Every structure is written in C-alpha cells, then in structure tokens.
Amino acid sequence: MIVNIELSGGLEILFSNKKNHQFELSGDSIPLKQLVYWMRDNHVKERPELFVENGTVRPGILVLINDTDWELEGGIDAIIEDGDTVSFISTLHGG
Amino acid sequence: MSGVPSCSTDDGNTVLNATPKRVYAKNCIRCKESKPIIVFRTTDTLCWPCYREVITKKFKNNISKSRSDKRELETFAVSLSGGPSSMVMLDLIDQCIGENVKRAKMFFKVHAIHIDQSVLRGLNGNSNSNDSEDNNTGLAIQKQLEEICSSYKVPLTIVPLENIYGDANETREQRRQQLVEVFEQMESNNTSKEDLLEHFRAQLVYETAHKLGLGRILNGSSSNRLAIRLLSSTSKGRGNSVPNETNLLDYHRTSTTVCHPMRDFLLKEIAIYHRYLGLQDLTVPSNPFHSINLNQSSHKASINTLCENFINTLQDISSQTIHTLLRSVDKLHSPVADESMFCSVCSCSLTKSEIETLKKSVGERINNSNSNNNTKCSTTTTNNQATSCCSTDSSKSCCSNDNNNNNNNNNNNNNNCCSDNSSTPLNLHTLCYSCRNILDKKSTTLTLPPYIKENSKTMVHSYQLRNEIKDFLLNDDDDEDDDN
Ligand SMILES: [Zn+2]
Ligand SMILES: [Zn+2]
C-alpha cells in the first residue's frame, strides 16, 4: 500500500525538511498509531519527542485524514488505507 | 508523565472531564446531506459549506461588537502575520464586506499591516537553515500577502521590523544591526527575546495604524493563543493586564483599541478553514526564536513555550479547556488606577503601586534639585551624565561607579530626567514589572528603540510639570468655596 504524508507548520524540519512524502508499506491497511510509530522510528532523525508523545501524536499537532478532521475517523485509532493522505499540521510556536 | 491531571473545584466536582471517544454522525448535522469534514465544538459534525457559514456568523457577531459607531464607514487596521489565523481572518472579513457577499453585507473598510521580521532570520540557532533560503522565504511570504490582499482588494502596508528604530532610508543597515544586537544580548533568555519581539511588533503596528489615521486594529489571535497568553502573562507577573490582553477589546493607551475577533476559534478550526481556502502553506513560525531547534536538545524552553505545551496537553485531555479558561477571564476586569500611566515598552497600564513608586522617584529628584541651589538641567548635566534617574537611593544607584571614576563628588546633585541629553539612562520606573525584568541591568548597554525613551521622558516630564504647577492650581475644595 501507498500512503501520502504531508507535513506543515514547521513540522517538516523533523523530516529532512521535506513537506511531502510517499511511503510504501506492506499490507492493505495500517492503524494510524502504527504508522506514526513507523514514521518516528524510520524518518525522524532528531528529537522524536516533538512528534510522538505519550503514545499519540504530540498535542498541538493537528491530524487530517484525506482533508478531514481525524476525530471523525477515530483519532489515533483510525485505520489508514491504500492511497490515503495523512496531513500533520503543527500549530506549535515552540519546540 | 502519563497520568491524567484531574482538575476539580473546591467542592470536589470534577469540572474538566476527559473527552470521551465518540461515534459521530455520518452526515453533516446541519444540512443532513454532505460528508462532514470537522468535529466542531466536541459534538457537531459539519461539512465545509456549513462550517464556513457557522464560523462567518460568529465572526460577524464579534466584528459588530468591535465597532465603535455602526453608522460610520469605519476603517480597521488588520494586523497580518501571514500565519493561518490572520489569513483566515482576512477571508472572513471578505465574507463580511467583499463584492460577492449577497446577504447581510457589512459596511466597513480595512487596511492590512504586515510586519516583516526577516531581519531576525538566522538567529534561531539552526545552523542548517541557510541564509539565502531564508531570504527567499521572506520574499515569498511578502509576495503571497501582496497577491492575496490585491485579490481581496485590501490595501497592504509592509513595515520592516527594524523600523522600530525609525524609517530614514540611509540608516537601514545600521538599524538592522542595532535590532539584531539587542536580541543577541539577550543571549539564551528566550522568554525575554520573545516578549521583546512581541512588544516591538505590537508597537510598530500601533505606529503604522496611527500614521494611517486608524484607531482600531483587528488582531487574528486564536483562542489557543489567547489562552496561552493568559497563562504565560500571569506567570511573568503581567497578571494585571491579562483581562485586557485577552478580551474581545483591548484598550491600548487611550488612543487605540485592539480587537480579537478570532478569539472564539480554536487553532484546529482555523487550520481546517485555512486548508479549505487552498492557500499554499508558507507559514514560518511567527516567532523566529520559537522554531524547532534541532541542534540543542538541552535548549531551554521559554515560559511561553512551556505554557503552550501545558495548554495543548490539557486541551487534548478535555476539548473544553481553552473555552473554559477564556470564559472565566471574561468575568475579570483589570484593576483601574486613578491615573492612566502606561509602560514605556509594552504600553500596558502601570499598577497603582508602580505609579506611586514612579512619582516618588521623580518627586524626590525635584526636591533634591530644589534644595541644592536650584540647579536645573543646564549646569549639572555634563557632570552627571551617567546619573540614573531610576534610583533614588544613592548608595545603590548605578551612577556610583561612574562617580568614582570621574572623581565627581556631586552625589546629591541628581540629574533631572527632563534633560535633553540623549545619554540620560532610561527611568526604569516607567516600565511595568515584566519589562523591568527584561531590561534590568541591560538598559544601559543596549541601544533600545527610541520610542521607549520618548515614552518614558514624556511620562516623567508631564508628571514633573504637574508637580511644579500644582501649588498654583486650585483644588476642588477651593473651587467650591469660590462658587459659594
Ligand atoms: Zn452541511
Ligand atoms: Zn511593559
């Protein structure tokens, strides 16, 4: 499966300063929580605590799944499918 | 740190409950047809057109409350940082007064002001952010703002941050250096840097609005930002001005009013709206000292950042946190002093006791100079250039070193603050508590923007004048006697 990832609001600096990523993963779907951990472990080189905190996306980072509020999809328990776009938007001033 | 803080009132009732996991309606609850894009206010699932209507209605309501006279064609200044909140505000303004508005069109005008702080780029300690790239970002923001403003038919004035030192063409480079130096001298004190930047930006917006003849400024601060400010201001000893700073209307000095029409909107709501506008996201964090720092993991977070993280965590646990905080502050009012005196740096109202201390320091100075053969500024200034007006206690006065160096024994001949000498130190009593904290010990070594000393001097001078003529004024009692 292929997942599109968008990072903005300064968060891209944790991901080699690139805003758009396309990741290829095995299987047809993946729980968002697992995807977030995978991204942290494979693509965040420094200060991973600025992306993941207490088992979820750090407070102050908004998550949209296909341009929709992630709460509609179950928040961190959402299931991401092939072709989905997940956007992480930092509203944080500080880090 | 995984424990969930529970907030309870004195009688043991828990007021902030963790947001429970919900199953939401499949369709928009307003039009009952379209696919929802947002969970609005914990329960309401809304589609984009319905969401936009709901937000616009709330915004219009806030603008109405911000207007001084609804019969006049008023012009607001709009403070535009380029971040999502201010861009969404610009679109909402267009929903009020734009050409395409068909129903309930409002009648007012706006003029956008953008403070360009590109001069400070590269100060955040990320060595990998190279200069030319940063410069391009600065230009890209300006270009995008110009395009957007012209598409909304809103005039835009861009003011570089270094203009806090004036706007003469030939001194631009010098001003840029002065500004950078001030921030460099704050060293690792990020709280001071951020606060000073905030005060300078605000001051420039006031000055620019004033030059344009505009008395009302629309500021796009979201409810998140205002809640964070509520907390951080209180921790920095600025609690006195919290109700003012975070309410819908913030009265700045006596001439300007800052309105917060975005105060009802959460950053989440704003970010989703911003996304649906389809604007390219060029946002750099509005505060350059705030950007994520990769190099120093020991990087000391500012009070502002700590408060931000705290509020975000609470908001995550209970989505009512921010609104509850702001609703509580609605009920508060800043204590009103008998006289209006304002901090020379940040323009917040000085407290009663601060005014008393200021008066005392100025008053004693007058008495001293009167008792010492009535010398005024003219003869003594050269001897006592470094004499501080800020301290009345001669043993503690910062002038003592200089006096020793100069073999100057005129310790009692205190310098008058009204002296025209530009090297007269800043009277620290004309500053509020938190600005005193920022500039204390540094005020003599920093080249501060001239507006600070001007404010300070005007304040001291007008008090002195009043003091000098007070014996010639009739007080209220005398007045009544005369009338009888
Ligand atoms: Zn709808
Ligand atoms: Zn102040």
Side-chain angles (χ1 to χ4, degrees), chain B residues 28 30-31 34 47 50:
Chain B
C28 167
R30 210 156 159 269
C31 65
S34 308
C47 71
C50 290

Side-chain angles (χ1 to χ4, degrees), chain B residues 19-44:
Chain B
T19 313
K21 284 260 176 292
R22 284 172 193 275
V23 179
Y24 299 102
K26 279 268 173 295
N27 289 336
C28 167
I29 59 145
R30 210 156 159 269
C31 65
K32 313 254 186 302
E33 281 175 10
S34 308
K35 188 177 166 291
I37 58 147
I38 187 169
V39 181
F40 185 67
R41 305 294 140 103
T42 328
T43 54
D44 302 356

Side-chain angles (χ1 to χ4, degrees), chain B residues 18 22 48 52 58 142 201-202 206 215 241 278 286 291 315 319 323 325 353 382-384 431 436:
Chain B
R22 284 172 193 275
W48 165 237
R52 194 179 202 177
K58 276 183 181 285
Q142 286 195 23
R201 284 168 52 92
Y206 299 138
S241 52
S286 63
S291 65
Q315 178 71 13
S319 58
H323 287 129
L325 265 175
S353 69
T382 41
N383 286 336
N384 284 338
L431 270 49
R436 258 190 336 260

Side-chain angles (χ1 to χ4, degrees), chain B residues 199 238 343-348 350 431-436:
Chain B
H199 300 329
R238 300 176 60 85
C343 169
S344 301
V345 176
C346 75
S347 291
C348 76
L350 296 185
L431 270 49
C432 71
Y433 170 79
S434 78
C435 290
R436 258 190 336 260

